[in-house]
Amino acid sequence: MADLKITGLHKYYGAVHAVRGIDLEIPAGEFTVLVGQSGCGKSTLLRTIAGLEDADEGTIEIGNEVVNDLAPRERDIAMVFQNYALYPYMTVYDNIAFGLRARKTPKQDIAGKIARAAEMLGIGHLLQRYPRQLSGGQLQRVAIGRAIVRNARLYLFDEPLSNLDAQLRDEMRGEIKRLHQELGKTMIYVTHDQIEAMTMADRIVLLRDGRIEQAGAPLELFEQPVTRYVAGFLGSPSMNFLDATLVAADGGLGVRLADGTVLPLPPARHAALAGYRDRPVTFGVRPDHIGRASPGDTRPGLARYSAVIELLQPTGSRTYGTFRVGSAEVVAELKAHDVSQVNERVELVIDMNRAIVIDPDSEKVL
Amino acid sequence: MSLRRRRAVKLALRYVAAVALTVFFLFPIYWLFMISFKTADEIYAYPPVWWPSSLQLDNYLVLFRDGDAKTVWNSLVVAGTSTVIAMFIGTICAYSLARFRTGGEHLANWIISQRMIPPIAVVFPIFLLYVWFGLVDTYIGLILLYTAFNLPYVIWMMRGYILDIPQALEEAALVDGYTRWQVLWKVVFPMCRAGLFATAIFTFVFAWNDFIFALVLTRTEVTTYTVQVTHYFGGQSNFWAKIAAMSVLGTLPIFIVVGFMQRYLVRGISLGAVKG
């Protein structure tokens, strides 16, 4: 059963067309992340689901009921806001109880629910304090507590971690995911951070300019992006894109790079690409699919490339090496001790099984 | 001079300046209170009597005996009621302007421009209207007028305070199960309490201090204390004792109100300074 179904949704702000035709179904119990750059419409979409914005076209169904004309309080949702949205003149306890009191929950039930939520979030000792006495991480826990005490059908998170520092963000990410596993509720989470999206989501909905660019499981989007935008958005460091030409090579097909090197493509790709022979394409390969060649490595689909590493950026476990193909810079994710000094010429292998070929006009992955 | 000495001198100079200014501004009020306790002889004595021989209350007793003191009550009724009404309507209007962009960008500016009308320009047309409607010399007449004159100010100030409230606080309440009216009561009012009090005080003081409208629109029934004071200036002589006593009666309520709400007043004024 779908807990949320959106059909043909449009939203305008004056002349700005913020949401341009969204169709989306979210099954019960799933953790869905809406991700995209700022201005892609993800927050607008979430606020429209909440009823804080009106839909200009299309329908929104929550649990098989069209809710377009229902006020936010009638939609049976709970929401966590980016800036916590806690009431400064109320204690933590009263803040969490606020939504329960609106629904005339008996006093004893309120106390029980708050005790349980507080234990889950580790904020039991803060209940009598005021928001101004709490740290950012504690504030966010309280805000989450206020949402989870409500037995809502749908839980919405609007960039809840973006005000926290990096370490706290990592910690809270895990905690929200654990909460989802314990509660089994349908959650929709908005973020611009692709790492949050990858690590937390059952399903990612990647938005661009008010439309869904691609939706699916995190690894599906990562491994089989349908457009150049998706391929470039997910992954850090991001995918390398090179101008190339699709040519015949060794009785099959290959990509000829700007410097004339031809990288043969695995036979499995030939059928889909046959029509593009002798045409310009964009060749995409992730940094972790370029590595140092080792003698005797004869796995199929590996292409060799000889490069001069111009820049080394060690991160500890990995080292990012930058080299040039023609005028374009390419980043390779090497093992820590693969290359010891810059301007060294090394033999690299590119995993062509994982590389993608993009039509430069439509930006679609072929 | 050492740094420490220089600091001490600077501090001393500041205190001297503060005391001088305070004396300068408080002296008329001191003098007013003193006159109200003096006998006729002491009022006209030369050199002036700085402190009356006895704090006798005859000047006040006369006002109460003759019923003149009722004009202070009239002022209280008129200023108090119009303040409550203006605050209620004004805050709701301000909320609408701040949150729903009612009337587009310029309605708010137009509303505050109403405040700039000089009262003297409208007082006679209003007088004619009031004669027509039978509102002259009635509580309702003055209350309506003060409410109308204070509304732009209330709307403008409260709009500023409401704009300062993070919208997410209201949205969280809406999602959590509250209606707009409940949000107004449970979120907006508590969030701008200081602003509400500060604005209410200024609104009250405006109505309390008004003279021109009260002079033209009242006769005998609802005369306010500001008008009553002028009755003691005679062609032959001025009744300084009554003038002073009546002025003290008229000043006391303001002292009391401000005394109780000083905390909110200071906070409200500094809050409004940002956006008001």
Side-chain angles (χ1 to χ4, degrees):
Chain A
M1 187 195 81
D3 249 13
L4 175 72
K5 188 175 172 196
I6 294 172
T7 317
L9 187 72
H10 286 263
K11 173 74 193 167
Y12 300 83
Y13 289 113
V16 180
H17 196 169
V19 173
R20 310 176 172 219
I22 297 270
D23 296 291
L24 185 63
E25 258 186 65
I26 292 178
E30 210 179 67
F31 196 109
T32 301
V33 174
L34 306 179
V35 66
Q37 288 170 335
S38 53
C40 71
K42 58 191 188 298
S43 276
T44 305
L45 177 58
L46 193 77
R47 292 169 57 80
T48 313
I49 294 169
L52 296 170
E53 307 283 349
D54 291 330
D56 289 318
E57 271 175 56
T59 57
I60 300 169
E61 290 167 60
I62 297 177
N64 297 325
E65 181 192 8
V66 175
V67 297
N68 285 46
D69 296 326
L70 296 185
R73 68 174 189 284
E74 298 163 325
R75 296 191 180 194
D76 200 9
I77 46 176
M79 187 159 172
V80 178
F81 292 82
Q82 181 175 355
N83 298 315
Y84 321 128
L86 299 176
Y87 305 102
Y89 49 90
M90 290 184 195
T91 62
V92 166
Y93 185 93
D94 288 334
N95 262 290
I96 300 177
F98 193 64
L100 297 173
R101 287 181 183 145
R103 286 161 206 276
K104 307 270 182 278
T105 315
K107 225 172 184 176
Q108 278 199 310
D109 291 7
I110 292 181
K113 280 170 195 261
I114 292 180
R116 239 171 296 140
E119 192 194 344
M120 228 183 235
L121 292 160
I123 53 172
H125 59 298
L126 305 175
L127 291 177
Q128 294 315 316
R129 295 207 196 157
Y130 284 89
R132 63 175 176 277
Q133 299 167 307
L134 305 184
S135 69
Q138 290 170 332
L139 289 171
Q140 196 49 269
R141 276 167 213 268
V142 175
I144 291 170
R146 187 171 66 186
I148 64 171
V149 289
R150 296 258 324 278
N151 189 20
R153 183 187 283 276
L154 210 55
Y155 291 78
L156 308 178
F157 296 81
D158 191 3
E159 306 217 25
L161 305 185
S162 54
N163 286 357
L164 304 180
D165 59 50
Q167 200 184 342
L168 208 52
R169 206 154 53 211
D170 289 351
E171 199 184 309
M172 289 302 291
R173 225 161 49 199
E175 214 155 312
I176 293 175
K177 191 163 183 177
R178 186 173 53 78
L179 269 178
H180 175 250
Q181 284 168 0
E182 280 173 30
L183 299 170
K185 293 286 188 177
T186 311
M187 296 185 177
I188 304 176
Y189 186 104
V190 162
T191 180
H192 60 267
D193 180 348
Q194 53 102 5
I195 296 182
E196 264 174 44
M198 288 295 292
T199 52
M200 297 174 81
D202 291 327
R203 199 157 68 113
I204 292 179
V205 177
L206 199 147
L207 294 165
R208 181 193 187 188
D209 297 336
R211 292 192 185 88
I212 295 177
E213 188 85 356
Q214 190 174 0
L219 284 179
E220 184 187 328
L221 265 69
F222 189 77
E223 289 167 356
Q224 295 149 39
V226 295
T227 63
R228 173 179 171 151
Y229 184 82
V230 177
F233 189 89
L234 297 175
S236 173
S238 54
M239 184 179 264
N240 299 297
F241 294 107
L242 296 168
D243 292 334
T245 313
L246 201 69
V247 294
D250 299 340
L253 287 172
V255 285
R256 189 173 66 219
L257 303 180
D259 64 354
T261 318
V262 175
L263 307 173
L265 285 160
R269 311 289 284 278
H270 293 173
L273 295 171
Y276 285 84
R277 203 171 131 180
D278 297 326
R279 284 176 45 183
V281 292
T282 304
F283 174 66
V285 60
R286 292 193 187 280
D288 52 332
H289 297 145
I290 307 175
R292 179 98 198 238
S294 54
D297 187 0
T298 53
R299 283 177 290 153
L302 293 188
R304 286 179 175 266
Y305 187 84
S306 166
V308 177
I309 304 291
E310 293 178 0
L311 181 69
L312 284 172
Q313 296 178 80
T315 65
S317 56
R318 300 257 134 196
T319 294
Y320 299 121
T322 307
F323 60 95
R324 262 172 212 288
V325 174
S327 60
E329 283 192 348
V330 179
V331 176
E333 194 180 316
L334 305 168
K335 287 188 191 130
H337 299 286
D338 270 353
V339 178
S340 48
Q341 61 194 38
V342 289
N343 295 325
E344 192 180 331
R345 178 166 288 278
V346 292
E347 201 65 16
L348 299 175
V349 286
I350 300 171
D351 186 351
M352 299 300 283
N353 299 307
R354 315 289 292 272
I356 58 172
V357 178
I358 300 161
D359 179 339
D361 296 325
S362 68
E363 304 222 319
K364 288 210 157 57
V365 175
L366 302 170
Chain B
M1 228 190 308
S2 74
L3 188 65
R4 216 164 139 191
R5 278 276 296 278
R6 256 187 298 171
R7 272 200 195 136
V9 171
K10 262 190 196 165
L11 190 69
L13 282 175
R14 257 182 234 156
Y15 272 113
V16 169
V19 169
L21 273 173
T22 309
V23 168
F24 182 77
F25 283 112
L26 280 185
F27 181 77
I29 294 169
Y30 159 78
W31 200 238
L32 179 72
F33 273 76
M34 287 309 110
I35 293 176
S36 77
F37 295 121
K38 285 176 182 173
T39 61
D41 290 344
E42 287 171 328
I43 291 173
Y44 290 105
Y46 189 86
V49 177
W50 294 99
W51 191 259
S53 53
S54 68
L55 287 177
Q56 50 95 13
L57 296 170
D58 288 359
N59 298 333
Y60 291 94
L61 291 176
V62 169
L63 295 181
F64 281 96
R65 198 189 56 213
D66 296 350
D68 293 7
K70 193 199 163 226
T71 56
V72 175
W73 170 251
N74 289 342
S75 285
L76 267 177
V77 169
V78 172
T81 313
S82 72
T83 299
V84 169
I85 299 174
M87 287 305 296
F88 181 73
I89 300 176
T91 304
I92 292 170
C93 291
Y95 186 77
S96 169
L97 285 174
R99 287 296 184 243
F100 307 122
R101 308 208 298 146
T102 307
E105 274 174 57
H106 302 300
L107 185 61
N109 294 321
W110 180 79
I111 287 173
I112 192 63
S113 75
Q114 301 302 297
R115 177 75 178 189
M116 298 165 194
I117 296 177
I120 195 73
V122 291
V123 66
F124 292 105
I126 287 175
F127 173 72
L128 293 176
L129 271 175
Y130 271 32
V131 170
W132 197 326
F133 289 116
L135 288 172
V136 175
D137 209 18
T138 62
Y139 279 145
I140 294 179
L142 279 186
I143 289 169
L144 268 180
L145 194 68
Y146 292 148
T147 303
F149 252 75
N150 271 324
L151 260 179
Y153 174 76
V154 174
I155 293 172
W156 185 259
M157 292 302 290
M158 291 315 299
R159 175 173 163 271
Y161 295 123
I162 291 167
L163 283 173
D164 280 346
I165 303 174
Q167 220 165 325
L169 289 183
E170 293 173 39
E171 290 170 349
L174 288 174
V175 168
D176 269 348
Y178 291 95
T179 63
R180 273 281 172 194
W181 286 102
Q182 288 173 315
V183 167
L184 209 57
W185 188 251
K186 293 194 182 265
V187 178
V188 176
F189 288 169
M191 284 299 290
C192 58
R193 201 166 46 173
L196 277 168
F197 280 121
T199 309
I201 289 172
F202 281 106
T203 306
F204 182 81
V205 167
F206 168 79
W208 186 258
N209 287 345
D210 169 68
F211 172 69
I212 187 85
F213 287 124
L215 178 71
V216 175
L217 300 175
T218 66
R219 299 274 160 74
T220 52
E221 294 304 310
V222 299
T223 314
T224 60
Y225 91 93
T226 51
V227 175
Q228 184 63 33
V229 169
T230 63
H231 291 172
Y232 306 135
F233 292 92
Q236 309 297 321
S237 61
N238 299 330
F239 298 95
W240 287 115
K242 281 185 169 183
I243 291 170
M246 184 53 95
S247 299
V248 169
L249 287 183
T251 317
L252 279 180
I254 300 291
F255 272 131
I256 294 168
V257 169
V258 170
F260 274 112
M261 302 201 174
Q262 198 181 19
R263 192 162 61 98
Y264 293 114
L265 200 58
V266 173
R267 231 170 62 200
I269 293 168
S270 50
L271 272 178
V274 186
K275 240 178 206 164

